[in-house]
Amino acid sequence: MTSAIVLGGSRGIGKAISNALKSIEIDVFAASKKDIDTSNMESIKKFLENYNQIDVLILNTGGPVPKQFFDITEDDWKLYHNQLFLGFCTILQNIKINDGGYIFLISSNVIKEPNPKLIISSAYRAAFNEVFKILSKDYAQKNISCINIAPGPINTDRTKELIENVKEYEKSLPMKRLGEPEEIGNFVKSIIENEIKYLSGVTINFDGANSNYIF
Amino acid sequence: MTSAIVLGGSRGIGKAISNALKSIEIDVFAASKKDIDTSNMESIKKFLENYNQIDVLILNTGGPVPKQFFDITEDDWKLYHNQLFLGFCTILQNIKINDGGYIFLISSNVIKEPNPKLIISSAYRAAFNEVFKILSKDYAQKNISCINIAPGPINTDRTKELIENVKEYEKSLPMKRLGEPEEIGNFVKSIIENEIKYLSGVTINFDGANSNYIF
Amino acid sequence: MTSAIVLGGSRGIGKAISNALKSIEIDVFAASKKDIDTSNMESIKKFLENYNQIDVLILNTGGPVPKQFFDITEDDWKLYHNQLFLGFCTILQNIKINDGGYIFLISSNVIKEPNPKLIISSAYRAAFNEVFKILSKDYAQKNISCINIAPGPINTDRTKELIENVKEYEKSLPMKRLGEPEEIGNFVKSIIENEIKYLSGVTINFDGANSNYIF
Amino acid sequence: MTSAIVLGGSRGIGKAISNALKSIEIDVFAASKKDIDTSNMESIKKFLENYNQIDVLILNTGGPVPKQFFDITEDDWKLYHNQLFLGFCTILQNIKINDGGYIFLISSNVIKEPNPKLIISSAYRAAFNEVFKILSKDYAQKNISCINIAPGPINTDRTKELIENVKEYEKSLPMKRLGEPEEIGNFVKSIIENEIKYLSGVTINFDGANSNYIF
């Protein structure tokens, strides 16, 4: 039976992925912040003592509170360096992905079109994407696919916190609505279910035609 | 019942997409070059007289014979301008995609990392991708998703023509193999089957971690 | 003495480049539309009979009248295919750039962030950029540098035609002003003057921090 | 008189920029590692006590020793997080760039085409580039230009350390040679000298046509 760990699996996009994977008989561990706090290196190491091998890994974590550049403290940088970058590196250094497995990274479209309110997120998610791209070539040798999904505006609690007037905002979007977490969940599910392996080393915008950059 | 037209549907990636869509009870017209020659504007216009409305459209066509820049004639440029660009524009100007439908463009990874042997293909496929990106925002208003799949090395007759020693070449690839057309077929199928709509305005590398650009 | 041809050299950015190059004792032919009409293959071929060797070539041409996709005719496509793509290809196929020379392409930031009103320009300029990138590697062997400058909003007649209320528009720009053609002219001049050769195969946004894509 | 600080100004590219700026009568402080160690937050803060206002700032620092991903320790990550990211952020948070000034970032082409041997550098330089892009829009309001130069293979001690056989390597390059630090120095100089301000928020590949990505 295929096994999966979904980080940040108790809410939002992580929860939707967990549910979608469960629907195809995958043995899912939807890890919540209680199980592993990716901003805390001790918590990560402890988690890795118990979970060190898996078929499918979903690297997913919430983003920081919005802060303008000049208000960000050294402690802020270091905290989110852990949460958005170093924690994921440590996990990949210490967990065995089984041959033929999958690693999905849930990042954000801000890595391509950075957002001043989300400057921390833009920076560290971009950093981790570089690592992920490089590793995709190594993992390819074991038939492990590495897929970065870069969501735009998705209907999560997070978005509701960031956007003041969601109804107004939706009208400005090409599809006149936020994306649903379930769309991402089903997308992840369908890739695994159909054993699509050659999709790897790729960053996939998932934003309802909202981004403006050509690729 | 959902209906689909797959251009270039009689071989290679187009055929694999046709087969995959048929497997989920979609009414597929796998158009061959006899049905529509996308390098010939008359052929295109005639085709459009009979086919002017559809749920799912797959824009797919073979590429030109490899030629170095200084050997390309004005006639070559014009022929492939039709085949890779103008034909697709004309189709989109004259076919109605039903609300909630899909348009998939099968392009090539050469639009991101252009190839001197495939300079015509690099140029005109890039051009059409600009059109496709712009239109994705219009189509979004009718809940139509526009997805550009940019394959790398896929196991088709085309690749065998382009690559002298396929076995050797495969060893140089991260996954040590070409991608299978069926992987793309199943990918397209699963997006439609799962009604994933928020994936739109996106270019998806499909190359087994072979490309080097970060995104 | 260094010689230069500046296409579209009688106005706007082309004129500013011509003037800047003249200021450093370069022998400049600022070609106007009377000298060469890049939308007309006969005009191009005739021009090339007289001008077939040069040190510095500036590929520059005006853009099409704004038109929405569904209003563009086959004749429009073909006209601008000539003007923005095929003409430049024909020139490069038939002109000798002297060793150690330079080719500058003046394109547009719409190749990275395409604009629905400028869909023709977005498409064909992107196409030619693919050709230019590929050729940069060939030209490099003769120490010829290929530099694509992709302007954003510049203070030209063209911009005044495209933008209804320029004053209002300027307020929306990061620098609260349009760029000046002379800035591009001086930029081109300074690269040649300082013999900066290793800058090649590059697309340089020139838009006063206006674009949103990370690169 | 215009004043400039060049970080990493005692060798390689930094030294070449310092020399070029001195040649146009700019008052340059070419800071060496003794003056400021950008991997050490205390050193940075002490430096900022003495240098908190400038016209031209060159953010430049050496890269880490090459290490494969699985060999990188938590201390390595943290050290280079300081050196390549946090140090630069701290400097920008605490130094005043005078109106009409310039900030140049000397990064690397690995941010676009990441390199497995330079994974740390790829990651943190990409992260800082996100910050720099975002800030370019703020600085634009004070007519301060932010320019990221992303060098490819340049003839520095660093390159000689990284590349085993430089002579062989040069043959593989489009220009059959490394770039010279002086070319970057002169490029930076000429932008300042010609008061080219509208070039901002841009990443400029400086690699002799070596990169393969279209932009």
Side-chain angles (χ1 to χ4, degrees):
Chain A
M1 193 184 187
T2 301
S3 61
I5 293 171
V6 182
L7 301 181
S10 63
R11 49 182 290 192
I13 296 170
K15 189 176 179 181
I17 296 174
S18 295
N19 289 343
L21 297 188
K22 284 174 188 168
S23 78
I24 53 167
E25 308 295 314
I26 289 178
D27 180 23
V28 179
F29 176 23
S32 75
K33 206 168 175 176
K34 271 184 268 176
D35 301 304
I36 175 171
D37 174 356
T38 55
S39 71
N40 181 315
M41 299 307 290
E42 291 317 307
S43 167
I44 291 167
K45 285 168 194 165
K46 208 172 152 208
F47 180 87
L48 289 165
E49 285 171 18
N50 298 309
Y51 302 93
N52 55 23
Q53 190 168 351
I54 202 76
D55 296 314
V56 175
L57 177 63
I58 314 288
L59 296 169
N60 172 55
T61 181
V65 173
K67 262 197 174 183
Q68 297 290 327
F69 178 69
F70 290 96
D71 299 329
I72 301 170
T73 66
E74 195 175 320
D75 285 346
D76 289 332
W77 290 120
K78 288 184 174 170
L79 177 71
Y80 292 109
H81 175 239
N82 282 352
Q83 181 169 331
L84 296 168
F85 181 80
L86 192 50
F88 286 174
C89 289
T90 304
I91 291 169
L92 291 186
Q93 284 181 327
N94 291 285
I95 204 166
K96 180 178 160 44
I97 309 297
N98 293 325
D99 289 12
Y102 288 91
I103 312 174
F104 287 88
L105 170 65
I106 309 304
S107 65
S108 165
N109 66 348
V110 298
I111 63 176
K112 287 195 180 178
E113 301 184 12
N115 184 325
K117 287 203 302 185
L118 302 175
I119 193 165
I120 298 174
S121 186
S122 303
Y124 291 131
R125 291 190 194 277
F128 187 72
N129 188 43
E130 300 270 333
V131 170
F132 198 56
K133 176 74 184 184
I134 288 171
L135 295 181
S136 70
K137 291 177 186 272
D138 289 331
Y139 283 117
Q141 296 176 38
K142 302 205 236 165
N143 202 27
I144 295 161
S145 301
C146 294
I147 298 165
N148 176 12
I149 297 176
I154 303 296
N155 186 15
T156 60
D157 295 346
R158 167 83 175 156
T159 300
K160 287 169 203 153
E161 282 162 32
L162 290 175
I163 308 288
E164 220 170 298
N165 188 332
V166 172
K167 281 278 167 229
E168 261 329 289
Y169 179 63
E170 287 189 307
K171 287 182 200 160
S172 76
L173 297 173
M175 290 201 169
K176 310 301 175 201
R177 66 169 178 96
L178 301 172
E180 291 301 321
E182 288 69 27
E183 289 177 278
I184 298 180
N186 285 330
F187 183 60
V188 170
K189 180 203 76 173
S190 67
I191 290 167
I192 298 172
E193 194 177 20
N194 288 282
E195 295 180 53
I196 295 161
K197 297 300 313 174
Y198 218 62
L199 187 71
S200 189
V202 60
T203 294
I204 302 176
N205 300 347
F206 204 101
D207 64 7
N210 192 43
S211 58
N212 293 312
Y213 181 61
I214 179 62
F215 295 129
Chain B
M1 192 186 189
T2 302
S3 60
I5 292 171
V6 182
L7 300 181
S10 63
R11 48 182 291 191
I13 295 169
K15 189 177 179 182
I17 295 172
S18 296
N19 290 341
L21 297 188
K22 285 174 187 167
S23 78
I24 53 167
E25 308 294 313
I26 289 178
D27 180 23
V28 179
F29 176 23
S32 75
K33 206 168 175 176
K34 270 183 271 176
D35 301 304
I36 176 171
D37 174 355
T38 53
S39 71
N40 182 314
M41 298 307 290
E42 291 317 306
S43 168
I44 291 166
K45 285 167 195 165
K46 207 171 153 207
F47 181 87
L48 289 164
E49 286 170 16
N50 298 307
Y51 302 92
N52 54 23
Q53 190 169 351
I54 202 75
D55 297 314
V56 176
L57 176 63
I58 314 288
L59 296 169
N60 171 56
T61 181
V65 172
K67 262 196 175 182
Q68 297 289 327
F69 177 70
F70 290 95
D71 300 330
I72 300 171
T73 67
E74 196 175 318
D75 285 346
D76 289 332
W77 290 120
K78 287 183 173 170
L79 177 70
Y80 292 109
H81 176 239
N82 283 351
Q83 181 168 331
L84 297 167
F85 181 80
L86 192 50
F88 287 174
C89 289
T90 305
I91 292 169
L92 291 186
Q93 284 181 327
N94 291 284
I95 204 166
K96 180 178 159 43
I97 310 296
N98 293 324
D99 288 12
Y102 287 90
I103 311 173
F104 286 88
L105 170 65
I106 310 302
S107 64
S108 165
N109 66 348
V110 299
I111 63 176
K112 287 196 182 176
E113 301 185 11
N115 183 324
K117 288 203 302 184
L118 302 175
I119 193 164
I120 298 174
S121 186
S122 303
Y124 291 131
R125 291 191 194 278
F128 187 72
N129 188 44
E130 301 269 335
V131 170
F132 198 56
K133 176 73 184 183
I134 288 170
L135 295 181
S136 70
K137 291 179 187 270
D138 288 331
Y139 283 117
Q141 295 176 39
K142 301 204 238 164
N143 202 26
I144 295 163
S145 301
C146 295
I147 298 165
N148 175 12
I149 297 177
I154 304 295
N155 186 16
T156 61
D157 294 346
R158 167 84 175 154
T159 300
K160 286 168 203 153
E161 282 162 34
L162 290 174
I163 308 288
E164 221 171 297
N165 188 331
V166 172
K167 281 277 167 232
E168 259 331 288
Y169 178 62
E170 288 190 306
K171 287 181 199 159
S172 76
L173 297 172
M175 289 201 170
K176 310 302 174 200
R177 65 168 178 98
L178 301 171
E180 291 301 322
E182 288 71 25
E183 289 175 279
I184 298 179
N186 285 330
F187 183 60
V188 170
K189 180 203 74 173
S190 67
I191 290 166
I192 298 171
E193 194 177 21
N194 288 283
E195 294 178 54
I196 296 161
K197 296 301 313 174
Y198 218 64
L199 188 71
S200 189
V202 60
T203 294
I204 302 178
N205 300 346
F206 204 102
D207 66 6
N210 192 42
S211 57
N212 293 313
Y213 181 61
I214 180 61
F215 295 130
Chain C
M1 193 184 187
T2 302
S3 61
I5 292 171
V6 182
L7 301 180
S10 62
R11 50 182 290 192
I13 295 170
K15 189 176 179 183
I17 295 174
S18 295
N19 290 342
L21 297 188
K22 284 174 188 168
S23 78
I24 53 167
E25 308 295 313
I26 289 178
D27 179 23
V28 179
F29 176 23
S32 75
K33 206 168 175 176
K34 271 185 268 176
D35 301 303
I36 174 171
D37 174 354
T38 54
S39 72
N40 182 315
M41 297 308 292
E42 291 318 306
S43 167
I44 291 167
K45 283 167 197 166
K46 209 173 152 208
F47 180 86
L48 289 165
E49 285 170 17
N50 298 308
Y51 303 93
N52 55 23
Q53 190 168 350
I54 202 77
D55 296 315
V56 175
L57 177 63
I58 314 288
L59 296 169
N60 172 54
T61 181
V65 172
K67 262 198 173 182
Q68 296 290 327
F69 178 70
F70 289 95
D71 300 329
I72 300 170
T73 65
E74 195 175 319
D75 285 346
D76 290 332
W77 290 120
K78 287 183 174 170
L79 177 72
Y80 293 109
H81 176 239
N82 283 351
Q83 180 168 332
L84 297 168
F85 181 80
L86 192 50
F88 286 173
C89 289
T90 304
I91 291 169
L92 291 186
Q93 283 180 328
N94 291 285
I95 204 166
K96 180 178 159 44
I97 310 297
N98 293 326
D99 289 12
Y102 287 91
I103 311 173
F104 286 87
L105 170 65
I106 310 302
S107 64
S108 165
N109 67 349
V110 299
I111 64 175
K112 287 195 179 177
E113 301 184 12
N115 183 325
K117 287 203 300 185
L118 303 175
I119 191 163
I120 297 175
S121 186
S122 303
Y124 291 131
R125 291 191 195 277
F128 187 72
N129 188 45
E130 300 269 333
V131 170
F132 198 56
K133 176 75 184 183
I134 288 170
L135 295 181
S136 70
K137 291 177 187 273
D138 288 332
Y139 283 117
Q141 296 176 39
K142 302 205 235 164
N143 202 26
I144 295 163
S145 301
C146 295
I147 297 166
N148 175 12
I149 296 177
I154 304 295
N155 185 14
T156 61
D157 295 345
R158 167 83 175 155
T159 300
K160 287 169 203 153
E161 282 162 34
L162 290 174
I163 307 289
E164 221 171 297
N165 187 331
V166 172
K167 281 278 167 233
E168 261 327 290
Y169 179 63
E170 288 189 306
K171 287 183 199 158
S172 77
L173 297 173
M175 290 200 169
K176 310 300 173 202
R177 66 169 178 97
L178 301 172
E180 291 302 321
E182 289 69 27
E183 289 176 279
I184 297 180
N186 285 329
F187 184 59
V188 169
K189 180 203 76 172
S190 67
I191 289 166
I192 297 171
E193 193 176 22
N194 288 283
E195 295 179 55
I196 295 160
K197 296 301 312 174
Y198 218 63
L199 187 71
S200 188
V202 60
T203 294
I204 302 177
N205 301 347
F206 203 102
D207 65 6
N210 193 42
S211 59
N212 293 312
Y213 181 60
I214 180 62
F215 294 130
Chain D
M1 192 184 188
T2 302
S3 60
I5 292 170
V6 182
L7 301 181
S10 63
R11 49 182 291 191
I13 295 170
K15 189 176 178 181
I17 296 173
S18 296
N19 289 342
L21 297 189
K22 285 175 188 168
S23 79
I24 52 167
E25 309 294 313
I26 289 179
D27 180 23
V28 179
F29 176 23
S32 74
K33 206 167 174 176
K34 270 184 270 175
D35 301 304
I36 175 172
D37 174 355
T38 54
S39 71
N40 181 316
M41 299 307 291
E42 290 317 307
S43 167
I44 291 166
K45 284 167 196 166
K46 209 172 151 206
F47 180 88
L48 289 165
E49 287 171 16
N50 297 310
Y51 302 93
N52 54 23
Q53 190 168 352
I54 202 76
D55 296 314
V56 176
L57 176 63
I58 314 288
L59 296 170
N60 171 56
T61 181
V65 173
K67 262 197 174 183
Q68 297 290 327
F69 178 69
F70 290 94
D71 300 329
I72 300 170
T73 65
E74 195 176 318
D75 285 345
D76 290 332
W77 290 120
K78 288 183 172 169
L79 177 72
Y80 293 109
H81 175 239
N82 283 351
Q83 181 169 331
L84 297 167
F85 181 80
L86 191 49
F88 286 174
C89 289
T90 305
I91 291 169
L92 291 185
Q93 284 180 327
N94 291 285
I95 205 166
K96 180 178 160 44
I97 309 297
N98 294 326
D99 289 11
Y102 287 91
I103 311 173
F104 286 88
L105 170 65
I106 310 303
S107 65
S108 165
N109 67 348
V110 299
I111 63 175
K112 286 196 181 177
E113 300 184 12
N115 184 324
K117 287 204 301 186
L118 302 176
I119 193 165
I120 298 174
S121 185
S122 304
Y124 291 131
R125 290 191 194 277
F128 187 72
N129 188 44
E130 300 269 334
V131 170
F132 198 57
K133 176 75 184 181
I134 289 170
L135 295 182
S136 70
K137 291 179 186 272
D138 289 332
Y139 282 117
Q141 296 177 39
K142 302 204 238 163
N143 202 26
I144 296 162
S145 302
C146 295
I147 298 166
N148 175 13
I149 297 176
I154 304 295
N155 185 15
T156 61
D157 294 346
R158 168 83 174 154
T159 299
K160 287 169 202 154
E161 282 161 33
L162 289 175
I163 307 288
E164 222 170 297
N165 187 330
V166 172
K167 280 278 167 232
E168 258 331 287
Y169 179 63
E170 287 189 306
K171 287 182 199 160
S172 77
L173 298 172
M175 290 201 169
K176 310 302 175 200
R177 65 168 179 97
L178 301 172
E180 291 301 321
E182 287 70 26
E183 289 176 280
I184 298 180
N186 285 330
F187 184 60
V188 170
K189 180 202 76 172
S190 66
I191 290 166
I192 298 171
E193 193 177 20
N194 288 283
E195 294 179 55
I196 295 160
K197 296 301 312 173
Y198 218 63
L199 187 71
S200 189
V202 60
T203 294
I204 302 177
N205 300 347
F206 204 101
D207 65 6
N210 192 43
S211 58
N212 293 312
Y213 181 61
I214 180 61
F215 295 130

